[in-house]
Amino acid sequence: MNFMRGYPDEVYAMRADGRAPLDEGAAGFDVRAVIGLLWRARVAMVVGTMVGLLFALSYVATLEPTYTATAKVLFAPDYRRILDDKNLVEPASDALQNQIEILRSNHLMSRVVERAELTKLPQFNPAIRPAIGWGNTASAGPPKNTMAGFSGSLFSWLGLSSKNPEAAAAGAKAAREASTLAARRVLSDMVRLDPVPNSRVIAISASTRKPSLSVTVVNAVAQEYITAQLDAKLDATRRAGRWLTARVSELKDDVARAEANASSYRARLAGAGGDSVSQIEAELAVLKSSIAAASAERSGAQVRYKTVRDAIDAPNRVEAASDLEKSDVIAGARRRAQENAVERASRAAMVAPGHTMLAQMDARAAAVRDEIAAEEERIARGLYNDLLVRTAHENRLRSEARKLEEKLGEQDQSEARLREYERDAEASRLIYETFLSRLKETTQEETLHEADAVIISEAEPPHSADSASGRRIATFGALMGLIGGFGFAMVVERLNNTFRALEDVEDTTGLTVLGTIPLMEQSDEYATLMDYVLARPNSALAEAVRSLRTSLLFSHIDKPPQVVMFTSSVPGEGKSTTSLLLAVTSAQMGKSTVIVDCDLRRPTLSGLLGEAAQAHGGLRSVLDGSLPLQEACLIDPETSLTILPTRAEPGAVINAADALASERFKALLAELRERFELVILDAPPTLSVTDARLVTQHADASFYCIKWDSTPRETVLEGLRELSIVRPNLAGAVVTMVDMNRAKRDGMFGDYRAHHDNPYTAD
């Protein structure tokens, strides 16, 4: 927080590790901070790298030299290789990883151990490896039981040997197997298999303590790989031959059985007789043609019957029925009806209605109509009977067609079954011939086998020992040392709980850093600090104080502070020196300035000013009324600076808190305000006594001094909490006693005041 803005309660929200809470958006990766950390850790990283490299080189010096031999094998697969009993022909995979796994297999490694007799070499057999003990004696294995050996010898000498020959043989076999297993494990760890990129070449390498042994091991692995491939192919061919022989015999029986089935079924069909499928199909075609004609006739009869029936039911459609028009009976009846109608019309004109003659004519007309209706019904019945006959004929033809179709289906199934038997026999014959041909080829392949791989480069004795492992160990040691050095620097950086960078002060306390005061070396050339500043007005120290004075003036542009207090957390942080330097600089610039030493218990200002200030009465005499202000003040003749010191009097008892809280002290400050343009109060540390809290209430602005790379953060925060009780008007912080050379070397301030030379040198 910024204490100038009056938010002291936020001090308690600071984190327990001494860092102020930052905004969420401010968090992130700070590249400059990382670079600064690397720069500060450079010495530790260099030292760590050298130490790691030294240890690595020491370890490399103790290693026994090794020699590496390399052979190269080209894998060129045969694309028609027998893999197993079930898959006779299969394209071989050209994946080198499969071949590498074959080379790493336990079976191949065991064969290499037997081929090169590696169990007889100490490097591969721990049981015979020399063990250096007391007296530099070598042991060929684990310690033997002396008593057991003595008793065994005694029993043997007496002819009462307690050893079982079978148990001894089993023990020897177990020992050989254990030695072979141990040698195989050592060999597996030793051999390296590296595929050459963009090729089918595998590089086989091994490193041992003897060049000849490395060559022997590598060449043995390559030769056993070739031999294993030949043995595998030969074994596969023989197994395939045995399987093919059995399979050909089975297929021969299958062919005979299939041909017998086909012949038997063909004879059965011939004995059953009947038409063939083609004959049935021809009859069915003729029958279907007859069905079509019968269907057409039946449809015509149905149409004629329907037409007549419609004409009978609707007299107005009589003209549309051709069968009715063709009837002579109907035609004659219609003529008689017409003649009767004509005659009746003529008679009706001559006789009265209801006359007997007209009635007779009406009766004749009704008889004619009945005759016509009877004839129509007769014709309709005739057409209907014809329709029934034609429909029955069509149904009979369709029934015969269905029977032929069923017969045709049965005949098709029989012939299909026959064709199936024939195809089965043909397929069995083809498979039999194929396997028989493959059996003959397999029999010939036993004498024509070649390995799928070839050694294109045998191992040769290496001319010099390996150095790559030493370089790797040295590089790894240097890298680990570099990491260790950086880690050590990180730990030191994290354990440092002081303020080293100005950003840390602002982030942790919330106070603006208004100035940094460089550390001044002790020198006999200057009697006091004032003499140093006056003699070297252009030094870095004087420039830093002038910068602090400018910050003070601009802390309140409209009304610059007149009464300024300096305090710190604990003694020895340079607050008195800083306040005195600011007073001297202000006096040099022609501003009437007075500095008051407000530490009544342990005054420091008098020691900085020399014996004259120590002999003066000072503030204590003014407060107790023994001296007037004018006589208590000391005026520096060179700068016209007015100094109101405090003299330490042994045995004197005074309540400093009451004195500083008194009305006399308040009146004294009011008088100083009237007489001087700038009043500087050198207050005691905040954590030592409560005096600073009393003095700050009378100040227009307060400066909080923090010793660079010395005062713990918790101490500073605790001091600020003490001041926050009275709500001080804190203008900002001043970082004191800064070792500028070390700060710039470690990158703490960046280019801050980079234009200045060493602050301890002359102008």
Side-chain angles (χ1 to χ4, degrees):
M1 63 160 281
N2 191 338
F3 284 82
M4 274 186 65
R5 299 175 182 174
Y7 301 101
D9 294 338
E10 294 184 5
V11 177
Y12 298 98
M14 296 182 181
R15 302 186 311 196
D17 61 352
R19 296 180 182 270
L22 300 177
D23 295 336
E24 294 286 341
F29 182 74
D30 191 350
V31 178
R32 296 181 59 185
V34 173
I35 295 176
L37 177 60
L38 291 174
W39 177 253
R40 292 191 295 274
R42 64 190 184 280
V43 176
M45 293 167 66
V46 172
V47 173
T49 302
M50 298 301 296
V51 171
L53 183 60
L54 179 62
F55 276 103
L57 293 178
S58 301
Y59 176 75
V60 170
T62 61
L63 295 178
E64 192 173 352
T66 59
Y67 299 87
T68 301
T70 303
K72 292 184 179 180
V73 175
L74 173 63
F75 172 61
D78 180 7
Y79 286 97
R80 293 183 59 86
R81 54 182 301 205
I82 300 175
L83 297 180
D84 51 39
D85 293 344
K86 297 181 180 179
N87 298 305
L88 294 178
V89 179
E90 180 176 318
S93 173
D94 60 349
L96 292 183
Q97 188 60 37
N98 296 336
Q99 305 307 312
I100 291 176
E101 294 301 324
I102 294 175
L103 284 165
R104 292 186 185 279
S105 63
N106 294 335
H107 178 69
L108 190 142
M109 290 297 173
S110 298
R111 293 181 59 172
V112 173
V113 170
E114 295 176 0
R115 180 188 183 98
E117 298 181 345
L118 299 181
T119 55
K120 298 180 180 180
L121 301 177
Q123 186 175 355
F124 293 89
N125 191 355
I128 62 174
R129 190 174 300 163
I132 305 301
W134 184 78
N136 226 9
T137 59
S139 176
K144 297 181 179 179
N145 191 329
T146 306
M147 294 301 298
F150 175 75
S151 61
S153 301
L154 180 61
F155 278 111
S156 299
W157 183 74
L158 294 176
L160 301 175
S161 177
S162 60
K163 289 188 176 180
N164 187 351
E166 296 181 358
K173 181 180 179 181
R176 288 195 300 272
E177 292 178 353
S179 300
T180 302
L181 178 61
R184 189 187 71 194
R185 291 175 178 173
V186 175
L187 179 63
S188 299
D189 296 336
M190 177 186 298
V191 174
R192 297 192 307 274
L193 304 172
D194 301 315
V196 178
N198 302 323
S199 69
R200 294 180 180 176
V201 177
I202 302 175
I204 307 174
S205 304
S207 300
T208 65
R209 300 185 182 95
K210 296 181 179 180
S212 58
L213 181 57
S214 300
V215 173
T216 300
V217 169
V218 172
N219 288 335
V221 172
Q223 290 294 340
E224 283 300 327
Y225 173 59
I226 302 298
T227 303
Q229 282 202 334
L230 288 173
D231 292 345
K233 294 182 70 174
L234 182 60
D235 182 65
T237 302
R238 289 174 178 174
R239 286 189 289 109
R242 291 193 297 269
W243 182 80
L244 284 171
T245 301
R247 186 60 178 157
V248 165
S249 179
E250 295 175 359
L251 291 175
K252 185 176 181 181
D253 296 339
D254 292 342
V255 171
R257 184 169 50 255
E259 290 179 348
N261 291 336
S263 300
S264 175
Y265 195 77
R266 190 182 300 108
R268 191 189 313 166
L269 290 179
D275 297 331
S276 63
V277 174
S278 58
Q279 291 174 345
I280 296 174
E281 289 178 347
E283 293 178 5
L284 184 60
V286 173
L287 189 57
K288 286 183 178 180
S289 177
S290 299
I291 290 173
S295 178
E297 292 176 357
R298 190 262 309 159
S299 297
Q302 185 176 4
V303 171
R304 289 169 57 195
Y305 170 72
K306 187 176 183 302
T307 302
V308 170
R309 176 55 59 188
D310 291 341
I312 294 173
D313 295 338
N316 56 338
R317 294 175 58 190
V318 173
E319 294 79 4
S322 59
D323 290 313
L324 297 180
E325 293 293 334
K326 294 177 181 179
S327 175
D328 295 336
V329 176
I330 294 175
R334 287 180 178 176
R335 284 195 302 272
R336 289 196 303 273
Q338 186 176 7
E339 291 174 356
N340 187 53
V342 172
E343 184 179 359
R344 185 183 185 286
S346 63
R347 295 289 185 182
M350 293 185 294
V351 296
H355 193 272
T356 304
M357 187 179 298
L358 294 178
Q360 292 176 354
M361 290 182 180
D362 290 336
R364 285 198 303 272
V368 171
R369 287 194 297 273
D370 292 339
E371 183 182 358
I372 293 174
E375 182 64 19
E376 289 177 347
E377 287 296 334
R378 185 188 64 77
I379 294 173
R381 281 195 303 272
L383 292 176
Y384 179 72
N385 292 333
D386 183 61
L387 175 61
L388 293 178
V389 171
R390 295 183 184 279
T391 301
H393 178 64
E394 180 183 2
N395 292 337
R396 182 179 58 78
L397 292 177
R398 291 187 182 276
S399 177
E400 293 178 359
R402 282 194 297 271
K403 292 179 180 179
L404 284 177
E405 287 176 350
E406 292 174 359
K407 186 178 181 180
L408 178 62
E410 293 175 357
Q411 194 69 16
D412 282 340
Q413 291 180 357
S414 299
E415 293 191 3
R417 180 73 60 83
L418 176 60
R419 287 194 297 271
E420 183 179 351
Y421 282 132
E422 292 176 348
R423 285 196 300 270
D424 188 15
E426 182 66 21
S428 298
R429 190 181 302 107
L430 290 176
I431 295 175
Y432 169 73
E433 292 175 355
T434 301
F435 273 75
L436 182 61
S437 174
R438 187 61 181 140
L439 176 59
K440 295 179 180 180
E441 293 178 2
T442 303
T443 304
Q444 296 296 324
E445 285 180 1
E446 293 185 10
T447 59
L448 301 176
H449 273 313
E450 293 182 358
D452 291 341
V454 60
I455 301 175
I456 61 175
S457 176
E458 292 187 348
E460 297 179 355
H463 299 291
S464 59
D466 299 334
S467 59
S469 59
R471 288 196 298 269
R472 286 195 297 268
I473 294 174
T475 303
F476 180 76
L479 180 61
M480 294 304 296
L482 177 67
I483 296 174
F486 179 74
F488 176 78
M490 285 285 292
V491 172
V492 173
E493 185 82 12
R494 296 301 300 176
L495 292 178
N496 184 8
N497 197 28
T498 63
F499 293 103
R500 303 183 68 188
L502 303 184
E503 293 81 1
D504 293 342
V505 177
E506 296 180 350
D507 293 341
T508 304
T509 65
L511 298 176
T512 303
V513 178
L514 299 179
T516 56
I517 306 302
L519 178 67
M520 184 186 75
E521 290 182 342
Q522 298 294 332
S523 176
D524 297 336
E525 183 180 354
Y526 307 103
T528 63
L529 179 64
M530 292 183 60
D531 296 336
Y532 176 84
V533 175
L534 295 176
R536 304 178 63 183
N538 294 325
S539 64
L541 180 61
E543 181 64 27
V545 176
R546 284 193 291 269
S547 176
L548 175 61
R549 182 181 179 278
T550 302
S551 300
L552 171 64
L553 294 177
F554 281 93
S555 61
H556 291 283
I557 300 177
D558 297 333
K559 186 180 180 182
Q562 184 180 3
V563 179
V564 180
M565 185 194 78
F566 281 84
T567 187
S568 62
S569 302
V570 293
E573 294 195 67
K575 63 175 182 59
S576 299
T577 302
T578 304
S579 59
L580 179 59
L581 291 175
L582 180 62
V584 171
T585 303
S586 299
Q588 282 183 320
M589 299 180 68
K591 196 176 186 70
S592 59
T593 307
V594 60
I595 181 171
V596 182
D597 189 353
C598 298
D599 194 346
L600 300 178
R601 294 179 176 84
R602 298 177 58 185
T604 306
L605 193 59
S606 300
L608 297 175
L609 296 174
E611 297 179 356
Q614 296 177 4
H616 225 269
L619 177 62
R620 181 178 297 179
S621 300
V622 174
L623 294 179
D624 62 14
S626 60
L627 281 178
L629 177 61
Q630 187 67 27
E631 296 180 6
C633 292
L634 174 66
I635 301 177
D636 181 59
E638 296 188 22
T639 61
S640 300
L641 173 64
T642 301
I643 305 168
L644 182 57
T646 295
R647 184 177 61 186
E649 298 179 3
V653 179
I654 184 173
N655 191 334
D658 291 343
L660 296 176
S662 64
E663 292 296 329
R664 288 188 178 183
F665 183 73
K666 182 177 181 180
L668 173 62
L669 291 181
E671 184 178 352
L672 292 176
R673 281 179 180 272
E674 295 178 357
R675 296 180 56 181
F676 298 95
E677 295 178 285
L678 180 62
V679 179
I680 299 177
L681 306 178
D682 181 17
T686 58
L687 296 182
S688 299
V689 291
T690 61
D691 299 358
R693 286 185 288 175
L694 300 173
V695 175
T696 189
Q697 301 179 55
H698 305 290
D700 299 332
S702 299
F703 287 84
Y704 202 88
C705 296
I706 302 173
K707 186 177 180 180
W708 181 78
D709 199 19
S710 176
T711 308
R713 301 188 182 198
E714 292 82 1
T715 303
V716 174
L717 293 177
E718 185 62 28
L720 291 174
R721 291 188 183 97
E722 291 292 332
L723 280 181
S724 67
I725 298 176
V726 296
R727 292 187 175 272
N729 191 4
L730 281 171
V734 180
V735 182
T736 62
M737 302 185 186
V738 179
D739 188 345
M740 297 302 295
N741 287 336
R742 187 158 67 93
K744 289 189 292 184
R745 183 179 65 247
D746 293 342
M748 292 297 178
F749 292 170
D751 294 333
Y752 185 78
R753 292 178 180 166
H755 60 280
H756 289 293
D757 295 331
N758 190 316
Y760 316 125
T761 59
D763 297 343

